[in-house]
Amino acid sequence: MSGDQTEPKAEVKADPKSQGKPPAKGQMGEPARHRREGIGLMGRLRAYFLAGILVTAPIAITVYIAWWFVSLIDGYIRPLIPSVYNPENYLPFSIPGIGVLVVIIAVTLIGAFAAGYVGRLVLGVGEGVVGRMPVVRSVYGGVKQIFETVLAKKSNAFREVVAIQYPRPGVWSLGFITGSAHPEVQVKLAGEADDIVNVFIPCAPPTAGYLAMVPRREVTVLNMTVEDGLKLVMSGGIVVPPDRRPTLVEIPADPDDEDLDGDQPDRKVLAAASRSKR
C-alpha cells in the first residue's frame, strides 16, 4: 500500500511581506507598466491639444465674425461721417466700431422721430409714394410685414419647434411654426384638416429652407426652445440640446392611504405635473 502512494507536491506559500508590492524588474508586469506610461503621456498631450481647440476655436470664430461685421459696417458708414465730427481725425489711433455706434444712434433717433406726430405724418406720406411704385411696393410691403410679424410681441412666429414627417412618411424633419396658413388654404383643405399651420423647415446650415403647410394634428410639438432648435439645425445634428422633459419622481406609497377603488390618479403623473408648474 505504501508503494502505491504518490509523493505529495510541495505547496508554495506566498510571502505575506511580498503581497501588495509591485513586481520586481524583469517580471511580466514591467512591459505593461512602461506601455501604460507611454500611452498616458501621449493621451495627456492629445487631451491638452483637444482642450485647447475647444477653448480657442469658439472664441476665435466669434471674434472673427464680430470683427467682420464691425469692419463691414465701418467700411460703409465711416466715409459718410464728416471730417469735423470724425474722432479719428483728432486721435492718433483708429477706433473700431465707430460706424456701428453711428448706426445705432441713427436708428434710435429715427425711431424716436417716427413715434411722434410729425414722424407718423411723414412716414404715411412716404409709404403712399412707395405704394404707387409697381415693383418697389411689393418688396417694401413684404419686408415690412415680415419685420412687423417677427418683432411684434404678440407674434407666434418661431415660437414652437415641431417635428413633421417630411419629405415622406417615416422620415422626420425639424421645423418651426411660423403662423396659420392662408385663409384660402384653410377653405380649400377644410375637408382634410380643421387647422393648417405654416411650418418652415430650414436647411443645414439654415441658408434657405422649405415652406410646408401641414395639418396641426400631424405636427408634433417638441419640448425644445427655438435657440436649441437652431443649434441643432446649424450644427447638422452634432450639437444635441439637453433633455428638458420633466423627470418623474416616484412618491412612496402610504400604507394608511390605500386606493381601494382605483379612482385616484397616478402618483408619478402628479409629481411630474407639480414639477412642471414650478
Side-chain angles (χ1 to χ4, degrees):
M1 297 294 294
S2 61
D4 298 333
Q5 294 178 355
T6 59
E7 187 176 357
K9 296 182 180 180
E11 296 181 358
V12 180
K13 296 183 178 180
D15 188 3
K17 296 182 179 180
S18 63
Q19 294 182 358
K21 293 184 179 180
K25 295 182 178 180
Q27 295 184 3
M28 296 300 294
E30 183 181 2
R33 185 185 64 180
H34 287 294
R35 185 165 58 251
R36 284 196 302 269
E37 290 180 356
I39 293 176
L41 178 60
M42 296 303 297
R44 284 195 296 270
L45 293 177
R46 180 174 178 273
Y48 294 156
F49 179 75
L50 294 178
I53 292 179
L54 290 176
V55 172
T56 57
I59 297 176
I61 294 175
T62 304
V63 171
Y64 173 77
I65 294 176
W67 184 263
W68 171 82
F69 179 76
V70 171
S71 300
L72 180 65
I73 300 299
D74 286 350
Y76 284 104
I77 302 301
R78 189 175 297 175
L80 302 178
I81 302 176
S83 59
V84 180
Y85 301 103
N86 193 348
E88 294 183 354
N89 296 330
Y90 307 98
L91 298 176
F93 54 87
S94 178
I95 302 177
I98 187 66
V100 178
L101 181 61
V102 171
V103 169
I104 294 175
I105 295 175
V107 171
T108 305
L109 293 177
I110 291 174
F113 174 76
Y117 174 76
V118 179
R120 290 196 300 269
L121 183 61
V122 173
L123 186 62
V125 173
E127 289 183 349
V129 174
V130 173
R132 293 184 176 90
M133 300 180 182
V135 179
V136 178
R137 64 184 179 185
S138 301
V139 178
Y140 174 78
V143 173
K144 181 182 179 182
Q145 188 173 5
I146 291 174
F147 275 91
E148 287 180 349
T149 304
V150 173
L151 298 180
K153 295 182 180 180
K154 61 181 180 180
S155 173
N156 295 324
F158 283 84
R159 296 292 179 89
E160 293 179 292
V161 184
V162 298
I164 62 174
Q165 298 192 46
Y166 180 86
R168 62 176 178 82
V171 178
W172 294 85
S173 299
L174 192 70
F176 303 90
I177 293 182
T178 56
S180 299
H182 193 271
E184 185 178 359
V185 177
Q186 302 281 2
V187 173
K188 295 291 185 181
L189 303 179
E192 299 185 9
D194 297 334
D195 187 12
I196 300 178
V197 293
N198 293 329
V199 179
F200 177 72
I201 306 174
C203 298
T207 55
Y210 305 94
L211 175 61
M213 290 175 286
V214 187
R216 184 173 286 274
R217 66 169 180 266
E218 298 182 6
V219 171
T220 302
V221 180
L222 304 177
N223 189 15
M224 183 188 304
T225 61
V226 176
E227 183 180 2
D228 291 341
L230 291 176
K231 288 180 182 178
L232 184 63
V233 173
M234 293 180 65
S235 63
I238 298 177
V239 178
V240 180
D243 190 4
R244 300 181 181 274
R245 293 177 299 175
T247 56
L248 297 179
V249 179
E250 185 174 359
I251 302 176
D254 189 0
D256 299 334
D257 187 12
E258 296 181 355
D259 187 8
L260 300 178
D261 299 332
D263 297 333
Q264 294 183 0
D266 192 0
R267 294 177 178 271
K268 294 183 179 180
V269 177
L270 292 177
S274 62
R275 174 166 294 188
S276 62
K277 290 180 180 179
R278 294 176 187 173

